[in-house]
Amino acid sequence: MRKQLLTLLAAVALTATAVPASAASARSAVNWGTCPADVTAPLLQCTSIEVPLDYRNPDGKKISVEISRLPSGSPAKRRGVLLFNPGGPGGTGLTLPLEIAQAGLPTNLLAEYDLIGFDPRGVGHSSPVNCGLTPEQLVLDPKYAHNDSEVVAASAFAKGIAQRCAASDSAPVLPFLTTANTARDMDRIRAALGEAKISYLGYSYGTYLGGAYATLFPDRTDRMVLDSVLGPGGYDITEARRSAEGMQDRFPDFAKWAAARDASYGLGTTPAAVTANFGKLADKLDETPVAGIDGSYFRLAVYGLTYQTRSFPRLAQAWQTLLANQAPPGVALPAPTPAKQSQIGTMISVLCGDNAWPRTISTYQDNVARDRAAYPLIGGSTANVLPCAHWPNQPIEAPVRLSDQGPSNLLLVQNTRDPATPLSGALETRARFGDRARMVTVDQGGHGAGLPFLNSCGFNAVTDFLVNGTRPDTDKFCRAEANARELSQQQQQAADKLTDQLRQY
């Protein structure tokens, strides 16, 4: 398999360099060229298209959207285009096609499609925005609130972020960074590529984006895969709070893993002990931070490192280091680079532009008290105040309400214990789509059910649908698999990149 993949990618590279950009696709209205210098993916081709900033005024101000392509390895067999989105909102997507291909996509899928990545509007190389946020504000996640006064403090912090965005040069653009507009951009990409329909593979928030496209443009969808499924409201206040439920579902997997390795890490001899020690260390760090790491930062860092089981050793080592009153490597606040500014600025804008959020502090105080009791691991944080409570603009249109009207060509894949997009939300979205969808539920923890290096049943369901158009007749359940798939060194590196990318958003 590895030899076949390398041979195919080499052929793609030859095609990309030997065929003039203008002749690469007779139907395409774009001219493919080299990618931006900071996109370290030499096999990819890139280009940009213009789209309206405000689709209500299509002849008004334009912005650019940067797209990438990994051409089909077998043009004679090519079915069409397969668009990718890594989630977020705010996730950059130019390198995603190559990373997923290198992580283990089968050669028959690479032959079926041109794999298309793109930076969504406002992000990366697509007319990037910048709110001018400080390193502390770029963390974005609210503090874990133990009481009402800490919710008030979180509200003041969130208000500062909203005010910076409102005073920035990007302020006139921010109201138009919405899921609906990004879905409309996807349709402009489809048209520019000369395609009647598009296929799609989206992760996490990308499932709501894909669902929005399937709702707004049902007749222009081919085969749509939604992996790790958000609830039907997208990333609204319900979904933000639902993350605490996801952590409560997922953490026992790590606690069991760590307890079995207590001799190596010293985190507890039983899952119950590991869980208790988590709370003790978080409380200790609240009182006495280590190298700037307080209890809130620790809780959310642990949450992020449960996204993939392959990250458990890294999590245990970081925890062990903190117990020794030392700072784990790689925990510095994010630098306010243009790339990070565009990602966080876009994330906030989409959250606040898709849905209207509560504006009264008492609402968040009630939510925090409720979720802190129900989901003690991180509920005091995920129910806390985000900048949308102080956002200067109301949404410019109603959120996209996912629809069951349209072709039956949606495949949802979902883990039973996903910390970021819990099963409960996926089931609601599945119900909203009705007979348009089938869902494959995988008995495993983590974020990403159909990735190449995880459960073979879930992955095979995705590839069989994308290659052959075959979906289960009814919703399907995949049993847990005891052993992880053996990966080549190249696949390991690609898997690590994907893991980090999905965890980031």
Side-chain angles (χ1 to χ4, degrees):
M1 170 65 192
R2 181 171 181 264
K3 183 177 180 181
Q4 289 176 317
L5 177 62
L6 292 175
T7 301
L8 181 58
L9 290 178
V12 168
L14 180 63
T15 301
T17 55
V19 178
S22 60
S25 173
R27 295 178 298 166
S28 176
V30 303
N31 292 315
W32 295 101
T34 58
C35 293
D38 62 340
V39 177
T40 55
L43 297 180
L44 293 178
Q45 303 166 327
C46 288
T47 190
S48 63
I49 63 171
E50 278 195 344
V51 300
L53 172 64
D54 182 359
Y55 277 90
R56 300 171 303 179
N57 181 20
D59 296 324
K61 179 179 173 60
K62 300 294 193 296
I63 58 175
S64 68
V65 172
E66 188 80 11
I67 61 178
S68 64
R69 178 177 72 160
L70 183 66
S72 163
S74 181
K77 297 180 180 179
R78 176 186 176 279
R79 173 185 176 80
V81 297
L82 175 62
L83 270 69
F84 292 88
N85 181 270
T92 57
L94 289 182
T95 61
L96 193 59
L98 184 59
E99 290 166 1
I100 293 180
Q102 291 177 333
L105 288 186
T107 54
N108 56 354
L109 193 153
L110 294 171
E112 286 283 323
Y113 298 97
D114 290 344
L115 307 187
I116 306 296
F118 68 104
D119 283 351
R121 57 170 51 206
V123 178
H125 294 279
S126 295
S127 298
V129 298
N130 189 329
C131 282
L133 301 178
T134 67
E136 292 77 11
Q137 291 171 329
L138 286 171
V139 174
L140 185 62
D141 297 296
K143 294 278 190 179
Y144 187 95
H146 300 81
N147 51 54
D148 284 354
S149 63
E150 291 181 354
V151 177
V152 174
S155 178
F157 180 78
K159 185 175 183 179
I161 295 175
Q163 289 175 333
R164 276 198 175 248
C165 288
S168 71
D169 292 341
S170 296
V173 174
L174 301 183
F176 305 100
L177 304 184
T178 65
T179 298
N181 279 338
T182 303
R184 294 172 181 126
D185 294 343
M186 287 169 53
D187 201 55
R188 291 294 180 107
I189 293 173
R190 175 202 59 77
L193 296 178
E195 300 291 334
K197 297 182 178 183
I198 59 172
S199 294
Y200 178 83
L201 175 53
Y203 300 95
S204 194
Y205 160 79
T207 63
Y208 180 62
L209 175 60
Y213 184 87
T215 296
L216 296 174
F217 306 101
D219 295 333
R220 299 172 190 172
T221 59
D222 188 8
R223 297 169 182 173
M224 309 286 287
V225 178
L226 312 181
D227 187 335
S228 305
V229 185
L230 246 62
Y235 211 110
D236 57 7
I237 188 172
T238 299
E239 198 65 28
R241 295 177 64 190
R242 193 175 262 140
S243 298
E245 174 190 340
M247 177 64 160
Q248 216 73 29
D249 291 342
R250 172 59 165 159
F251 189 80
D253 290 340
F254 172 75
K256 181 180 178 180
W257 181 95
R261 294 161 178 81
D262 182 64
S264 298
Y265 299 111
L267 304 184
T269 58
T270 66
V274 173
T275 304
N277 288 334
F278 170 85
K280 290 177 183 177
L281 180 56
D283 290 342
K284 178 183 176 182
L285 290 170
D286 277 332
E287 295 178 3
T288 310
V290 173
I293 300 174
D294 61 11
S296 290
Y297 195 101
F298 170 69
R299 290 174 185 272
L300 291 170
V302 170
Y303 167 68
L305 286 169
T306 64
Y307 273 34
Q308 290 293 334
T309 301
R310 64 192 300 112
S311 300
F312 281 4
R314 180 179 169 188
L315 168 54
Q317 291 162 6
W319 189 333
Q320 189 179 44
T321 303
L322 284 169
L323 287 172
N325 292 317
Q326 298 174 1
V331 295
L333 291 174
T337 62
K340 193 65 177 178
Q341 291 282 6
S342 73
Q343 291 167 13
I344 299 302
T346 300
M347 176 181 284
I348 301 168
S349 298
V350 174
L351 264 59
C352 305
D354 277 3
N355 292 280
W357 291 59
R359 298 272 175 163
T360 58
I361 292 179
S362 61
T363 298
Y364 294 95
Q365 290 172 327
D366 291 344
N367 291 347
V368 164
R370 189 176 298 112
D371 289 4
R372 192 174 57 235
Y375 310 112
L377 294 172
I378 60 169
S381 175
T382 52
N384 211 343
V385 186
L386 286 169
C388 299
H390 302 284
W391 202 242
N393 307 300
Q394 290 293 329
I396 60 174
E397 60 181 317
V400 178
R401 181 176 174 82
L402 304 183
S403 171
D404 61 0
Q405 300 300 303
S408 184
N409 60 357
L410 302 174
L411 179 68
L412 283 56
V413 285
Q414 175 69 32
N415 288 334
T416 53
R417 301 180 304 284
D418 188 319
T421 56
L423 179 61
S424 60
L427 291 171
E428 291 182 13
T429 294
R430 169 68 185 89
R432 182 70 63 83
F433 280 129
D435 197 51
R436 293 190 70 184
R438 301 289 184 271
M439 189 160 90
V440 175
T441 304
V442 183
D443 183 15
Q444 67 183 5
H447 194 44
L451 293 171
F453 47 85
L454 297 177
N455 182 280
S456 60
C457 173
F459 176 58
N460 291 340
V462 170
T463 56
D464 196 28
F465 176 53
L466 289 175
V467 173
N468 302 313
T470 305
R471 287 188 319 173
D473 292 333
T474 60
D475 290 353
K476 179 177 180 179
F477 183 80
C478 290
R479 297 184 181 278
E481 295 179 358
N483 299 317
R485 296 178 60 191
E486 184 177 346
L487 303 179
S488 69
Q489 183 178 3
Q490 182 190 50
Q491 288 173 328
Q492 288 277 8
Q493 292 172 347
D496 289 341
K497 287 182 180 178
L498 283 172
T499 297
D500 287 341
Q501 189 167 21
L502 291 177
R503 181 171 59 244
Q504 187 174 6
Y505 306 113

